[in-house]
Amino acid sequence: MPPSATPDHCRLIIEPAPLSGNRNMAIDETLLESAATENRCTLRWYQWDQPTIALGYFQKNVSEDADESWKYLARVRRLSGGGAILHHHELTYSFALPGSHPLAKLPPELYVAIHQPIIDVLAAHGLPVQFRGVSFRSESEPFLCFGRGDERDLIYQGQKILGSAQRRRRGAIVQHGSLLLLTSEHAPDFPGLLNLTGQTDRFQETFLKNLTVDFSNAISQALEFPLESQILTDEELAQSESLEKEKYSTDEWTSRKK
C-alpha cells in the first residue's frame, strides 16, 4: 500500500488480561508510531491490573489537592495531554489513525466519530448517555480529568463517564479514553455509569466482553473501516517492550515537570 493511501481496514486488538500502566502506555505509543510510519490503523481495548494514576503529558507529578492515599498507587505518565486519570473499574480504548485518513486532519471530529458509536451501544444496553455539549474551565484546573469538562465528554445525569485525549505525531494521531463503569474507592467523588444507573451487578467479565465487541462493531460501521482481529507484530512487540523499560518505567519520565 502506498504510504499516502488510506488503509482499507483497521486492526482490532482486545487485550486478554489487564496490564500495567507502563505496559498500556508503551503499547499505545507504539501504535501511534505504527500509524505514522507504517500507515496502520489500530483499535485497541484494554484494562489495568491495579488502580493507576495516569498523568497528562504536561502535568506535574504532584498536586496540592491530590489525595494523600494516591501516593501509594501505581503511577505512569501518558503521551497525551489533559488531566490525570485514576484508572480502576473501567474499560479503556485507544485508536491510532495514520495521517492518510481524513479524520486525522480533524482532531475534534475524531472525538465525535468515536464517542457517538459508544453512545449508541450504551443506549442499546439500557445505559443512556449524551455529549456534554459545552466546555468549562476554572482558573485552577482539577488534578483529575474527570473533574474537568469538555463539550465532547460523555455524561449521565450531569456526571462525566467518558473522556478522551489525543496525541499527534508526523500527521498520525492516537486517541485514547476511559469509560468509567464503577466508582473507585480512591476517587469516590466520581461515580461510575453503573453506579449512577443502579446496575452495579452488571460489572462482570461477560458484560465487559459484550460491550467491547459491540463498541468495536459500532465504530467499524461508523467509520466504514472493516476490522481484522490481530496482535502486535514482532517489531511492535519489541518496540513496546523497549518503551516500557526505557521510558514509561523510569522516574525520569514519570516525574518530569513541564
Side-chain angles (χ1 to χ4, degrees), residues 148-221:
R148 305 181 182 191
D150 181 86
E151 61 186 289
R152 293 166 291 266
D153 292 339
L154 299 191
I155 62 170
Y156 179 77
Q157 295 182 349
Q159 298 289 332
K160 181 175 179 176
I161 56 90
L162 185 142
S164 299
Q166 298 175 344
R167 177 64 183 265
R168 298 178 66 85
R169 180 174 292 174
R170 298 192 297 280
I173 189 167
V174 66
Q175 175 175 305
H176 45 197
S178 302
L179 174 61
L180 180 59
L181 292 169
L182 286 183
T183 305
S184 170
E185 58 268 32
H186 303 289
D189 292 338
F190 303 110
L193 178 58
L194 297 180
N195 298 99
L196 292 166
T197 58
Q199 302 180 53
T200 56
D201 59 326
R202 296 180 69 176
F203 189 80
Q204 50 190 279
E205 184 176 351
T206 300
F207 174 66
L208 293 177
K209 182 177 180 180
N210 289 340
L211 269 187
T212 301
V213 172
D214 291 349
F215 285 150
S216 300
N217 290 335
I219 291 170
S220 172
Q221 293 176 11

Side-chain angles (χ1 to χ4, degrees), residues 48-204:
W48 306 71
D49 64 2
Q50 60 182 307
T52 302
I53 292 178
L55 299 161
Y57 181 79
F58 296 101
Q59 276 191 308
K60 294 182 179 180
N61 195 14
V62 294
S63 171
E64 293 180 358
D65 62 351
D67 190 290
E68 180 69 16
S69 67
W70 294 349
K71 67 182 181 181
Y72 302 107
L73 299 181
R75 190 161 297 202
V76 66
R77 184 178 298 280
R78 64 180 188 268
L79 71 163
S80 59
I85 298 179
L86 202 164
H87 298 283
H88 199 180
H89 305 305
E90 65 175 58
L91 186 59
T92 313
Y93 79 88
S94 66
F95 184 67
L97 193 65
S100 59
H101 193 281
L103 276 176
K105 300 172 178 63
L106 302 167
E109 293 189 21
L110 181 58
Y111 285 116
V112 177
I114 299 296
H115 288 190
Q116 184 61 57
I118 291 176
I119 289 175
D120 297 339
V121 168
L122 290 175
H125 283 270
L127 300 167
V129 303
Q130 61 187 23
F131 286 106
R132 184 188 299 278
V134 296
S135 298
F136 62 84
R137 293 187 179 277
S138 58
E139 292 185 5
S140 178
E141 288 279 47
F143 182 65
L144 291 181
C145 171
F146 274 72
R148 305 181 182 191
D150 181 86
E151 61 186 289
R152 293 166 291 266
D153 292 339
L154 299 191
I155 62 170
Y156 179 77
Q157 295 182 349
Q159 298 289 332
K160 181 175 179 176
I161 56 90
L162 185 142
S164 299
Q166 298 175 344
R167 177 64 183 265
R168 298 178 66 85
R169 180 174 292 174
R170 298 192 297 280
I173 189 167
V174 66
Q175 175 175 305
H176 45 197
S178 302
L179 174 61
L180 180 59
L181 292 169
L182 286 183
T183 305
S184 170
E185 58 268 32
H186 303 289
D189 292 338
F190 303 110
L193 178 58
L194 297 180
N195 298 99
L196 292 166
T197 58
Q199 302 180 53
T200 56
D201 59 326
R202 296 180 69 176
F203 189 80
Q204 50 190 279

